[in-house]
Amino acid sequence: MRLFYGCDDGGTPDMSDGTGLAEALLGLDGFRVLEVTEMPAELVIEIETTADFVGCSTCGQRAESQDRIEVEVRDLACFGRAARLRWRKRRWRCRDEGCPARTWTEGSPHFSSRNLLTVRAGKEACYQVGHNARPVAGLAKELGVCWWTVMDAVKEHGTSLVEDPSRVGKVAHLGVDETSYLKATSEHATLYATGLVDLRAKLIIDLVEGNAAADLRKWLAQRDERWLKGVKVVATDLAESFRAGLSPHLTHAKKVADPFHVVRVGNRCVDKVRRRVQNETLGHRGRKDDPLYRIRKLLLTGTERLNEKGRDRMLLGLRAGDPDDEVLGAWLAKESVRDVYLTDDVAEAAVLLDKAIAGCLADEVEEIRSLGSTLRSWRKEILEHHRTGASNGPTEGFNLLIKKVKRCGHGFRTFENYRLRVLLHAGGVTWPERPAVPRLRTRSPHSNA
Ligand SMILES: [Zn+2]
């Protein structure tokens, strides 16, 4: 159904004949609306520029219109209906036959030359995918374009926001953490990335492909000296590669083993022992009715968060599935690691940690002894937490944010896209101001009469 048919005589738009009204609704300056047609699934809006006279960009002579080409572009939805702009783009020709310009096609800042979305639709797509971590596929479906069109818009509008030098300022407390970004397939092992976090500002500074010492070192080598000097504390997980990668650029900074990761090392020990005992006693991996498998989550819950019922269930599971008290031993070792964080006092923490280390090293169970040597090798860094107060909160938050982006990503085709989306979501990007929407109020007072 044709909703609107504008005057095509180049006359002045006027609200009374509907021309000005259609243009006001369209809201793209420099364009007039020729026709609006309602199709079953979308509105098709035919537009042209209002530039009836243009000069040649090379010689300045008045150009003449040669012909038109039609370009179709997707715009933001209009009153809940998908909108397709059909731009009757003019091709101009220089009248001077000797001029090297010859012919050219008009352009507009509202349209990207590379993308099938209007600039405003592309910016909105970038905001939805970046700021709100919405899936690219969902937006592509909503806008009626393909996945790549949306991803290209995210790149086109998001890259400058992420690369903005003012995004990351001075960082005093730096967090380094690894995250997997692609699960293993038949072609490759799990791929890892290293996240760099400003622990105080709680934002992700950057994401580097790989988790080797060299990957971290290379990133640090690209920072300027003043920035590196400003880093006073670095919190990492208990990975030798990170400890090595911090040298030489951050040798001056205090190194802290992140409490969240220290506790995780204890949790992993419990899991390892549980799996092995399960296998040895039952001859298979954990199944849902196996006593140890049923308490796997309770085993990792901090003892202060277990209620009486939970504790009883856990003890029962251990009695049924842990004949040699090996899992119990690992659980006690894990709890002794958590105890280190019961106090804020360095001296007290040192006593608790040394007790935990000695207990682990003396254990008969190999996994627990290995936990002991990890703790021993990170003793200084673990206690540095109590000295500096570097908190694990942001790093845990970092993992959550990354998970959110990953969950909506359904696997990333390239690391660059992954980095861009993580940084748009959690990198403290300054988004261009969005027009504020004036509030609509309900009529008051409310009346139930
Ligand atoms: Zn010319």
Side-chain angles (χ1 to χ4, degrees):
M1 179 173 59
R2 183 181 288 180
L3 295 180
F4 167 80
Y5 188 70
C7 48
D8 208 0
D9 59 5
T12 324
D14 176 355
M15 288 288 181
S16 64
D17 68 3
T19 326
L21 184 63
E23 266 146 43
L25 286 175
L26 180 70
L28 291 178
D29 4 295
F31 282 87
R32 73 166 70 94
V33 175
L34 302 172
E35 193 177 326
V36 179
T37 315
E38 188 175 36
M39 307 298 275
E42 62 183 356
L43 288 181
V44 178
I45 302 152
E46 198 161 288
I47 57 171
E48 67 173 6
T49 57
T50 51
D52 293 319
F53 308 99
V54 300
C56 167
S57 61
T58 307
C59 69
Q61 267 213 53
R62 188 176 156 183
E64 62 186 8
S65 173
Q66 168 158 299
D67 56 3
R68 293 185 188 242
I69 44 169
E70 250 177 28
V71 179
E72 298 208 323
V73 180
R74 178 65 71 199
D75 200 2
L76 293 171
C78 169
F79 298 118
R81 284 171 291 184
R84 177 193 298 259
L85 299 183
R86 188 172 288 151
W87 178 10
R88 301 192 57 215
K89 229 173 167 175
R90 277 181 255 240
R91 210 147 42 174
W92 298 99
R93 183 177 55 223
C94 184
R95 288 170 181 227
D96 183 348
E97 283 186 9
C99 174
R102 302 165 78 112
T103 64
W104 66 94
T105 313
E106 65 186 351
S108 157
H110 297 301
F111 295 84
S112 152
S113 53
R114 287 165 292 171
N115 204 285
L116 283 176
L117 295 171
T118 57
V119 167
R120 63 186 178 189
K123 282 185 173 162
E124 182 62 19
C126 179
Y127 185 80
Q128 292 299 338
V129 170
H131 185 272
N132 295 341
R134 288 188 54 199
V136 172
L139 268 137
K141 199 172 163 206
E142 214 169 280
L143 287 164
V145 293
C146 75
W147 190 97
W148 288 108
T149 301
V150 173
M151 193 62 227
D152 283 346
V154 174
K155 281 192 251 179
E156 185 174 342
H157 301 288
T159 304
S160 58
L161 299 176
V162 161
E163 301 310 331
D164 179 359
S166 68
R167 182 174 64 84
V168 176
K170 264 183 22 192
V171 175
H173 287 197
L174 177 70
V176 181
D177 200 355
E178 78 167 18
T179 162
S180 69
Y181 98 88
L182 265 187
K183 282 202 184 119
T185 66
S186 54
E187 277 139 48
H188 59 76
T190 305
L191 296 181
Y192 288 95
T194 302
L196 296 127
V197 184
D198 181 340
L199 293 176
R200 283 193 169 158
K202 301 189 188 219
L203 60 86
I204 301 179
I205 301 166
D206 208 344
L207 212 55
V208 180
E209 199 166 7
N211 60 350
D215 301 317
L216 177 58
R217 198 176 291 124
K218 190 174 144 203
W219 186 86
L220 289 170
Q222 288 160 358
R223 303 305 109 188
D224 71 69
E225 202 135 319
R226 262 186 46 211
W227 189 88
L228 290 169
K229 280 247 164 63
V231 177
K232 304 292 180 215
V233 174
V234 188
T236 66
D237 64 12
L238 281 61
E240 285 305 329
S241 60
F242 288 157
R243 194 153 52 175
L246 294 175
S247 149
H249 301 98
L250 286 179
T251 312
H252 64 274
K254 289 204 171 94
K255 280 143 211 97
V256 181
D258 191 67
F260 168 76
H261 290 107
V262 174
V263 171
R264 200 169 66 178
V265 170
N267 283 345
R268 284 187 175 159
C269 172
V270 173
D271 268 339
K272 262 191 232 161
V273 177
R274 174 182 60 77
R275 286 206 193 95
R276 178 176 56 73
V277 171
Q278 233 160 227
N279 236 316
E280 284 170 3
T281 54
L282 302 169
H284 57 71
R285 287 175 53 171
R287 292 179 191 162
K288 75 176 185 345
D289 291 327
D290 296 343
L292 289 180
Y293 188 78
R294 287 173 63 175
I295 60 165
R296 69 195 186 285
K297 284 185 183 144
L298 288 171
L299 286 168
L300 304 184
T301 308
T303 177
E304 75 286 351
R305 277 185 291 156
L306 278 180
N307 57 22
E308 210 172 316
K309 212 176 130 206
R311 194 179 308 252
D312 287 349
R313 272 184 53 211
M314 188 179 88
L315 290 173
L316 194 69
L318 286 173
R319 205 161 299 158
D322 183 30
D324 299 323
D325 288 343
E326 292 176 278
V327 180
L328 178 64
W331 182 83
L332 289 169
K334 180 262 291 187
E335 284 299 319
S336 73
V337 174
R338 297 181 75 253
D339 285 350
V340 174
Y341 298 104
L342 288 176
T343 177
D344 292 329
D345 183 80
V346 189
E348 275 176 16
V351 171
L352 291 167
L353 179 58
D354 290 337
K355 230 166 108 181
I357 294 172
C360 288
L361 290 175
D363 207 282
E364 286 171 9
V365 177
E366 197 201 320
E367 292 91 339
I368 300 175
R369 281 202 305 277
S370 147
L371 171 64
S373 24
T374 305
L375 295 173
R376 189 175 51 190
S377 121
W378 289 85
R379 183 181 183 279
K380 182 163 178 266
E381 287 87 350
I382 292 172
L383 293 174
E384 203 70 69
H385 162 77
H386 295 75
R387 290 196 190 96
T388 60
S391 142
N392 67 339
T395 318
E396 263 182 289
F398 157 82
N399 282 313
L400 287 177
L401 289 171
I402 287 206
K403 271 196 190 123
K404 200 172 157 198
V405 175
K406 257 164 54 178
R407 211 175 299 133
C408 84
H410 305 299
F412 287 84
R413 288 167 168 89
T414 70
F415 177 77
E416 276 314 304
N417 288 353
Y418 176 60
R419 172 180 176 272
L420 178 63
R421 289 174 65 181
V422 167
L423 293 180
L424 282 174
H425 184 58
V429 156
T430 309
W431 290 92
E433 214 173 305
R434 293 158 64 79
V437 181
R439 257 184 89 138
L440 269 187
R441 292 176 193 281
T442 48
R443 272 198 281 178
S444 57
H446 289 284
S447 162
N448 296 323

